[in-house]
Amino acid sequence: MSFETQSRLDGKVAVITGGKGAIGFASAERLAALGARIVSLDRGDQQAVQARLDTLPGAPEAAHFALTASITDSASLQAAAQEVARRGGRCDILINSAGFTKAVAPRDLDALTDELFDSIMATNLRGVFATIRAFAPLLKESGDGLVINVSSIAGFTGAGSNLAYVAAKAGLDVLTKSLAKALAPGVRVLAVSPGVVDSTFVPGRGADFNAKAAATIPLARIGHVQDIASAIEACATTLRFATGARFVIDGGRSL
């Protein structure tokens, strides 16, 4: 395999967990524009997600489609992988963008309950592994598979929405490296690590938080979802001789 750069993704199927989210859908828009067929996996709102997918460019005979699955339910992921194989015939790209968090001050240890800690770890770490496990056979069969994990600078700075989220993303970064070795050469595994992004991902954070964060960032603004989606696109098109790597897209915040 040459791993040469490519400008188009025609004929490829890209599965995106959390496809209705800000980063997930922005990535879907970019990959669809390059010819990829998009499959969005979300916990609910299948009709609403399908309506959004129907706005993306694509051939009628290879229409994008939405599936209901939860990344914390391995049985539903296995069923989704089977449905992707049946309807799409293949899976070449897997983007793990589903996630969950809640703002908890790092010194407020009691507020980070066992239940919240376990829920965050299950979604942001175990769920990513379970998704990769479910789709690994299809990715291997592709012969040119790609997994992109949406991580966070929290995983290596130690500062994030809460301590469990920090630990989960640190684990995800190591998992990315380990799986890059385990699945090579037929499947590449990469991580994209945003800093603060203008989205509703962290409940309760708004314009005030964003303005304060922007003042600490060398490039003088917080990230946009398109900043992250463009990095994901690059992983699939131009950064093809990379695996096990983490691409930091934070405007310099982690410096």
Side-chain angles (χ1 to χ4, degrees), residues 139-224:
L139 290 163
K140 291 176 181 178
E141 188 177 314
S142 163
D144 187 17
L146 170 63
V147 176
I148 304 171
N149 297 322
V150 179
S151 187
S152 169
I153 63 171
F156 62 88
T157 64
S161 51
N162 63 64
L163 297 178
Y165 185 77
V166 166
K169 292 303 186 180
L172 181 56
D173 287 348
V174 175
L175 185 67
T176 297
K177 291 183 177 182
S178 296
L179 285 174
K181 291 186 286 185
L183 299 180
V187 181
R188 298 184 298 121
V189 187
L190 297 168
V192 172
S193 297
V196 179
V197 178
D198 188 11
S199 74
T200 59
F201 179 66
V202 183
R205 288 184 176 176
D208 290 346
F209 177 87
N210 290 346
K212 291 178 181 177
T216 70
I217 296 174
L219 296 190
R221 68 164 173 83
I222 64 170
H224 299 156

Side-chain angles (χ1 to χ4, degrees), residues 19-254:
K20 69 179 180 182
I23 291 174
F25 191 71
S27 301
E29 289 179 309
R30 283 181 170 268
L31 299 193
L34 297 180
R37 186 180 189 183
I38 307 300
V39 181
S40 181
L41 299 190
D42 299 274
R43 287 186 298 176
D45 301 323
Q46 185 173 343
Q47 290 184 335
V49 176
Q50 184 63 57
R52 296 188 74 191
L53 292 177
D54 289 342
T55 67
L56 300 178
E61 66 273 14
H64 314 300
F65 60 96
L67 294 176
T68 299
S70 170
I71 63 172
T72 59
D73 180 353
S74 292
S76 76
L77 291 171
Q78 293 290 344
Q82 292 174 8
E83 188 66 4
V84 169
R86 186 183 73 83
R87 294 178 60 180
R90 58 192 297 144
C91 175
D92 305 281
I93 301 170
L94 173 64
I95 301 172
N96 290 301
S97 66
F100 157 73
T101 194
K102 179 181 179 181
V104 178
R107 294 185 179 181
D108 192 355
L109 303 186
D110 292 332
L112 190 57
T113 64
D114 290 350
E115 293 76 15
L116 179 57
F117 195 104
D118 289 347
S119 178
I120 289 171
M121 293 295 286
T123 301
N124 295 288
L125 182 55
R126 191 194 77 200
V128 175
F129 171 75
T131 305
I132 297 170
R133 180 177 59 196
F135 283 90
L138 284 173
L139 290 163
K140 291 176 181 178
E141 188 177 314
S142 163
D144 187 17
L146 170 63
V147 176
I148 304 171
N149 297 322
V150 179
S151 187
S152 169
I153 63 171
F156 62 88
T157 64
S161 51
N162 63 64
L163 297 178
Y165 185 77
V166 166
K169 292 303 186 180
L172 181 56
D173 287 348
V174 175
L175 185 67
T176 297
K177 291 183 177 182
S178 296
L179 285 174
K181 291 186 286 185
L183 299 180
V187 181
R188 298 184 298 121
V189 187
L190 297 168
V192 172
S193 297
V196 179
V197 178
D198 188 11
S199 74
T200 59
F201 179 66
V202 183
R205 288 184 176 176
D208 290 346
F209 177 87
N210 290 346
K212 291 178 181 177
T216 70
I217 296 174
L219 296 190
R221 68 164 173 83
I222 64 170
H224 299 156
V225 293
Q226 290 296 338
D227 296 323
I228 316 307
S230 67
I232 289 171
E233 176 187 330
C235 290
T237 56
T238 58
L239 299 174
R240 286 179 38 80
F241 195 58
T243 193
R246 175 182 64 204
F247 298 106
V248 177
I249 315 297
D250 69 346
R253 179 172 171 82
S254 57

